[in-house]
Amino acid sequence: MTHENTDYVDILRTHGYRVTMPRMIVLDAVCAHEGHAAIADIQRLVYDMDPTIDRSTIYRALDVLVEVGLVVESDLGHPGKVYSIAGEANHHHLVCLQCGKVLSIRRDVIMGLKAQIHEAYGFDLQADHLTLNGLCRDCQSKKPPHSL
Amino acid sequence: MTHENTDYVDILRTHGYRVTMPRMIVLDAVCAHEGHAAIADIQRLVYDMDPTIDRSTIYRALDVLVEVGLVVESDLGHPGKVYSIAGEANHHHLVCLQCGKVLSIRRDVIMGLKAQIHEAYGFDLQADHLTLNGLCRDCQSKKPPHSL
DNA sequence: CAGCTTATTGCAAAAAGTCGCAATATCAGC
DNA sequence: GCTGATATTGCGACTTTTTGCAATAAGCTG
């Protein structure tokens, strides 16, 4: 996935951040990885492009990229977080608490909720990339329904 | 001590877990702490009750308590997760990404979403305690480019 | 495009979280 | 109540993530 069409330079600047080599390389790494990239994936890709970039710099770059909305961070349950490009992140995740399976659902599924919350609380839900937990179809049938 | 709620013994057993001292003490610690308890809070409270309980045991106990639904885990943005008692968690959280404010919303707000997801994907959404991010009313109007 | 201001980096060290394993404690069955 | 099977603990070692700080580089100004 490329991000050539995105004005990530402007996005960083308007948020008051500087455009630096490490940040662009980290962004490239997230782009280069299909689907969800774990930290280990990103670190490896970044290292291939520039071995001098430090681990801590990668963490900090990811934080910045997430904050400005270029990258999306998800906690899928298992240790460590995963990252994906915000552009292709117009979907949300259903993570099964039992088997760990990850389903992707269409973005508009939560649009009703977003509107509802905004009306009732004046809160503008960030609807980019949510992670919702529960039980997938298979695990529901395996484990008899115990009140959750 | 929350002897008022004797359900936790049954709940643990029904899920195939044993009822142990460390787990009860960790549960007590989460109970004892008003609102959201950070790991550091829990560790301190647990230590006060029993200094021999290990760090790793606390982490593992929290995992179990979260899995059986007695305790609720939230990622509020800043490093580390926070925990709260599920009993008081007939609500969900809206966390402002800008100012960190935490709003509680009523549980039934997401019931429509739950039904919708179940119909479309057969996924049983765990609707106990969601943490949703976004911008609160104040920060929407302010929207300063860069700060925390 | 040189100089200035300040955000950002790399490093090193600390803190937070995870994991394997022997010892221990829970609980079912007697 | 004992006893045995086994889930759980505490420990230590390990990996992952965060943080403070001096050196560096980005981006403004003229």
Side-chain angles (χ1 to χ4, degrees):
Chain A
M1 294 297 142
T2 70
H3 55 272
E4 56 197 37
N5 51 345
T6 64
D7 42 354
Y8 60 95
V9 172
D10 288 339
I11 291 176
L12 280 170
R13 293 225 175 110
T14 48
H15 283 260
Y17 289 113
R18 294 180 179 174
V19 178
T20 68
M21 202 48 148
R23 298 217 248 248
M24 290 165 71
I25 289 182
V26 169
L27 183 57
D28 275 342
V30 178
C31 282
H33 197 276
E34 294 283 331
H36 304 107
I39 296 278
D41 302 320
I42 297 171
Q43 287 176 344
R44 183 172 38 76
L45 287 164
V46 168
Y47 187 87
D48 289 345
M49 293 190 260
D50 183 345
T52 71
I53 294 178
D54 194 68
R55 266 196 307 278
S56 63
T57 301
I58 298 179
Y59 283 111
R60 286 186 280 219
L62 283 171
D63 285 344
V64 168
L65 294 172
V66 167
E67 196 198 312
V68 304
L70 283 168
V71 167
V72 152
E73 180 186 78
S74 311
D75 185 345
L76 262 35
H78 19 85
K81 297 177 175 169
V82 297
Y83 298 85
S84 52
I85 284 297
E88 45 181 56
N90 49 2
H91 66 275
H92 307 281
H93 288 143
L94 301 176
V95 180
C96 180
L97 292 169
Q98 199 100 125
C99 66
K101 194 189 306 170
V102 178
L103 296 175
S104 292
I105 64 175
R106 298 217 349 261
R107 155 182 211 132
D108 48 339
V109 174
I110 62 98
M111 278 321 191
L113 178 67
K114 183 181 163 80
Q116 203 177 345
I117 285 180
H118 194 276
E119 187 178 335
Y121 301 93
F123 190 93
D124 184 29
L125 189 63
Q126 183 208 40
D128 274 357
H129 198 101
L130 299 176
T131 298
L132 304 172
N133 293 312
L135 287 182
C136 72
R137 206 193 306 260
D138 294 344
C139 291
Q140 283 171 58
S141 45
K142 275 183 221 155
K143 286 231 168 178
H146 186 268
S147 64
L148 248 177
Chain B
M1 297 292 187
T2 58
H3 298 319
E4 43 187 86
N5 182 7
T6 55
D7 286 345
Y8 64 92
V9 172
D10 288 338
I11 291 176
L12 280 170
R13 294 220 175 116
T14 318
H15 284 259
Y17 290 112
R18 294 181 178 175
V19 178
T20 69
M21 204 47 149
R23 298 218 248 249
M24 289 164 69
I25 289 182
V26 170
L27 183 58
D28 276 342
V30 178
C31 282
H33 197 275
E34 294 286 329
H36 302 107
I39 296 277
D41 302 319
I42 296 171
Q43 286 177 345
R44 183 172 38 77
L45 287 164
V46 167
Y47 186 88
D48 288 346
M49 292 189 261
D50 183 344
T52 72
I53 294 179
D54 194 68
R55 247 195 353 254
S56 62
T57 300
I58 297 179
Y59 283 111
R60 286 186 281 218
L62 283 172
D63 285 346
V64 167
L65 294 172
V66 167
E67 196 199 312
V68 304
L70 284 168
V71 167
V72 150
E73 180 186 77
S74 310
D75 185 345
L76 262 36
H78 13 86
K81 297 176 177 169
V82 297
Y83 298 85
S84 52
I85 284 297
E88 340 174 309
N90 248 357
H91 64 275
H92 306 282
H93 287 145
L94 302 176
V95 182
C96 180
L97 292 169
Q98 199 101 122
C99 67
K101 195 189 305 172
V102 178
L103 296 174
S104 292
I105 64 174
R106 298 218 349 262
R107 159 186 205 129
D108 48 339
V109 174
I110 61 96
M111 278 321 192
L113 177 68
K114 182 180 163 82
Q116 203 177 345
I117 285 180
H118 195 276
E119 188 177 333
Y121 301 92
F123 190 93
D124 184 30
L125 190 63
Q126 184 209 38
D128 274 357
H129 194 104
L130 300 176
T131 299
L132 305 172
N133 293 313
L135 288 183
C136 72
R137 206 192 306 259
D138 294 342
C139 291
Q140 282 171 57
S141 43
K142 285 185 229 154
K143 52 177 142 183
H146 174 217
S147 67
L148 235 182

